[in-house]
């Protein structure tokens, strides 16, 4: 079974609009962490935001926020006021229990239109 | 501050040749990870080290792949002999392992390997 599912292969959004990228996860552990990474066309992987399973508040980092719904096992990334530079692949990832390995989803390609 | 450094950035080699990829983690980080990214399989962890000791190598495809971390500031991933199906982008990442929190992993720029 897929540990991380990103159901949107591609999304197109107008500049300055908010965008939500979906991520659902599957784990039986009570302790886990969820991550989002951005991969622009240049290829590097850029860490964006982290949410721990015991964190009561949704994580925020600048224009990025993570909409964490534990009962639904979803960890959607919200980008407010999108910019042209936000065009990239976005990956959701999970770390389970005390393990350090990250399991990544297949990614969503986000395109911001001017 | 310098991020994770990988070399070479691009490698083109012929089938059967030995390939060595190199990584220098962020100074002070005590965990190092090797990932491979392909269109078909996405991003997958090959192996990771804590304090220079290999912890989980279950993602290493086969015996042709080996990884070492002789000290805290250097790691290698070797493929011998290389095959066309090894063509991929290989990422090295590092993090500071702590009891609470992420930790988030910081990725290097990757090595694009092409085996012809």
């Amino acid at each position: 079974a897929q540990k991380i599912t990103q159901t949107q292969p591609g999304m197109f959004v107008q500049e300055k609009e908010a965008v939500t990228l979906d991520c659902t996860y599957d784990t039986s552990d009570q302790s886990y962490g969820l991550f989002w990474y951005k991969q622009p066309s240049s290829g590097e992987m850029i860490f964006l935001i982290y949410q721990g399973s015991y964190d009561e508040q949704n994580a925020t980092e600048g224009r990025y926020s993570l909409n964490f719904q534990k009962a639904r096992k979803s960890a959607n990334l919200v980008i407010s006021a999108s910019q042209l530079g936000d065009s990239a692949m976005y990956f959701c990832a999970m770390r389970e229990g005390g393990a350090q390995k990250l399991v990544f989803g297949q990614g969503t390609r986000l395109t911001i239109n001017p | 501050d310098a991020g994770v450094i990988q070399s070479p950035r691009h490698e083109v080699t012929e089938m059967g040749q030995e390939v060595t990829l190199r990584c220098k983690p962020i100074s002070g980080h005590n965990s190092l990870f090797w990932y491979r990214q392909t269109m078909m399989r996405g991003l997958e962890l090959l192996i990771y080290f804590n304090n220079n000791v290999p912890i989980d190598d279950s993602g290493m495809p086969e015996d042709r792949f080996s990884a070492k971390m002789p000290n805290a500031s250097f790691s290698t991933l070797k493929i011998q002999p290389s095959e066309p199906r090894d063509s991929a982008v290989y990422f090295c990442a590092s993090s500071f392992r702590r009891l609470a929190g992420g930790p988030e992993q910081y990725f290097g720029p990757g090595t694009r390997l092409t085996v012809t």
Side-chain angles (χ1 to χ4, degrees):
Chain A
Q2 291 273 13
K3 291 279 188 178
I4 296 287
T5 303
Q6 295 181 252
T7 57
Q8 307 151 310
M11 285 194 68
F12 295 84
V13 174
Q14 286 299 119
E15 190 179 9
K16 300 181 184 177
E17 289 183 353
V19 57
T20 298
L21 305 181
D22 294 341
C23 173
T24 56
Y25 58 92
D26 181 25
T27 182
S28 57
D29 285 342
Q30 296 301 306
S31 174
Y32 52 89
L34 298 156
F35 303 76
W36 278 92
Y37 283 83
K38 172 183 178 181
Q39 186 176 39
S41 58
S42 50
E44 71 269 32
M45 295 286 289
I46 302 168
F47 166 72
L48 295 179
I49 197 167
Y50 164 78
Q51 179 86 40
S53 58
Y54 293 121
D55 294 341
E56 295 186 353
Q57 297 207 343
N58 288 341
T60 60
E61 289 286 349
R63 294 186 299 112
Y64 304 108
S65 61
L66 199 152
N67 184 0
F68 182 45
Q69 298 188 37
K70 198 169 184 177
R72 296 181 60 189
K73 294 189 173 180
S74 74
N76 298 339
L77 177 71
V78 180
I79 306 174
S80 63
S82 57
Q83 302 171 356
L84 296 178
D86 294 332
S87 294
M89 283 287 288
Y90 288 81
F91 292 94
C92 180
M94 177 173 65
R95 173 188 57 77
E96 292 180 278
Q100 290 178 265
K101 63 183 292 183
L102 292 182
V103 176
F104 286 83
Q106 288 299 308
T108 295
R109 182 172 296 281
L110 175 64
T111 302
I112 307 298
N113 295 315
Chain B
D1 288 340
V4 176
I5 299 172
Q6 291 186 247
S7 65
R9 294 293 307 276
H10 301 274
E11 177 80 38
V12 180
T13 191
E14 292 184 349
M15 183 174 63
Q17 297 297 307
E18 177 179 295
V19 175
T20 299
L21 311 182
R22 297 173 175 79
C23 176
K24 177 178 169 58
I26 294 172
S27 177
H29 282 188
N30 54 8
S31 296
L32 184 139
F33 307 79
W34 282 100
Y35 290 89
R36 179 171 66 175
Q37 185 177 33
T38 62
M39 288 295 293
M40 292 297 294
R41 300 176 65 90
L43 262 163
E44 50 184 349
L45 178 71
L46 300 177
I47 185 171
Y48 78 91
F49 298 83
N50 280 345
N51 298 316
N52 314 336
V53 176
I55 302 300
D56 183 350
D57 65 354
S58 59
M60 295 286 262
E62 48 200 271
D63 292 345
R64 297 185 298 106
F65 286 68
S66 62
K68 294 182 180 179
M69 192 165 186
N71 57 62
S73 58
F74 184 66
S75 177
T76 59
L77 178 67
K78 186 176 293 186
I79 308 172
Q80 166 63 18
S82 58
E83 296 183 1
R85 60 189 167 130
D86 302 330
S87 298
V89 178
Y90 291 81
F91 286 102
C92 176
S94 71
S95 69
F96 179 73
R97 184 168 185 246
R98 54 185 184 267
L99 292 178
E104 57 272 18
Q105 296 175 16
Y106 292 91
F107 281 69
T111 295
R112 182 173 295 277
L113 173 65
T114 303
V115 183
T116 60

